Amino acid sequence: MLHKIEKWIDQTNVEYKQQRICCAKFFSEFEGFYPLAFLEQAYFVVVDEIPKPDFPELRQMGFGSFMDMQAGGITYKNTYYVLRHNVSSLRLHFHELVHVAQWAHLGAQDFILRYMDEIQTFGYHESPLEKMAYALDANFSEGGAKIDIPSYVVRNI
């Protein structure tokens, strides 16, 4: 199943490649949190509908509510997708970039496996990868201390 999901992710990222926008555009807003070199390797795509791999096997495994959840964004490797009406939300971009750092540190197969396991074990809002992203985006939006996010992810996963 992991290979099928990763193949779908790769196909999706290729399909939207021409629409990607480089996250280096956020350098001034995220300075002290994300190094420029990291942002230059991360992208986002503005969409009207969040792409998800809606495979029957995932629903059979109990991911139906996750697949049907109305998300403002979703990250696949170094590219994340945001709904058009959320594109101006810096907090959402910050949050999804935490996931880009998690993907980069864990690698695709390990990220997918861990994310799925956490969703099944804890639920979406209590999954450690999501809790990390929400805590860090809250710190950013509340004007908290600047933390090098990619380094933080490596130290805390």
Side-chain angles (χ1 to χ4, degrees), residues 34 38 42 66 69 73-81 91-108 111-112 115 118-119 124 127-137 149-150 153 157:
Y34 293 106
F38 176 84
F66 177 77
M69 182 178 72
I74 198 163
T75 303
Y76 299 129
K77 297 186 176 184
N78 71 337
T79 303
Y80 60 93
Y81 297 80
R91 185 172 183 169
L92 178 64
H93 287 279
F94 194 98
H95 179 99
E96 297 305 328
L97 283 164
V98 173
H99 291 312
V100 170
Q102 293 169 340
W103 276 90
H105 177 64
L106 292 171
F111 179 90
I112 295 166
Y115 195 85
E118 288 183 5
I119 296 296
Y124 172 79
S127 69
L129 290 171
E130 285 298 341
K131 284 179 77 168
M132 176 187 284
Y134 279 112
L136 291 170
D137 78 46
I149 300 299
V153 166
I157 283 190

Side-chain angles (χ1 to χ4, degrees), residues 2-157:
L2 293 177
H3 292 289
K4 184 176 181 178
I5 294 170
E6 186 175 11
K7 182 179 178 186
W8 180 90
I9 287 169
D10 290 342
Q11 289 172 337
T12 300
N13 284 345
V14 166
E15 178 183 330
Y16 285 96
K17 189 171 185 170
Q18 299 304 314
Q19 296 170 256
R20 295 185 318 172
I21 301 167
C22 183
C23 292
K25 72 177 282 171
F26 298 120
F27 181 67
S28 62
E29 293 91 337
F30 295 158
E31 191 170 4
F33 291 100
Y34 293 106
L36 181 58
F38 176 84
L39 293 173
E40 289 174 336
Q41 300 299 313
Y43 304 90
F44 70 96
V45 178
V46 180
V47 293
D48 293 318
E49 186 176 330
I50 298 293
K52 293 181 185 175
D54 195 4
F55 302 137
E57 301 95 319
L58 288 173
R59 292 189 180 279
Q60 291 167 2
M61 293 169 68
F63 290 102
S65 61
F66 177 77
M67 301 306 299
D68 297 335
M69 182 178 72
Q70 296 299 313
I74 198 163
T75 303
Y76 299 129
K77 297 186 176 184
N78 71 337
T79 303
Y80 60 93
Y81 297 80
V82 295
L83 291 174
R84 191 167 310 285
H85 68 272
N86 290 332
V87 74
S88 61
S89 170
L90 282 177
R91 185 172 183 169
L92 178 64
H93 287 279
F94 194 98
H95 179 99
E96 297 305 328
L97 283 164
V98 173
H99 291 312
V100 170
Q102 293 169 340
W103 276 90
H105 177 64
L106 292 171
Q109 297 268 322
D110 287 343
F111 179 90
I112 295 166
L113 186 62
R114 180 170 174 168
Y115 195 85
M116 289 174 65
D117 181 59
E118 288 183 5
I119 296 296
Q120 284 185 314
T121 304
F122 304 105
Y124 172 79
H125 291 288
E126 294 301 316
S127 69
L129 290 171
E130 285 298 341
K131 284 179 77 168
M132 176 187 284
Y134 279 112
L136 291 170
D137 78 46
N139 176 67
F140 165 74
S141 67
E142 294 164 7
K146 294 194 175 197
I147 302 164
D148 181 312
I149 300 299
S151 297
Y152 179 90
V153 166
V154 168
R155 287 190 313 273
N156 290 283
I157 283 190

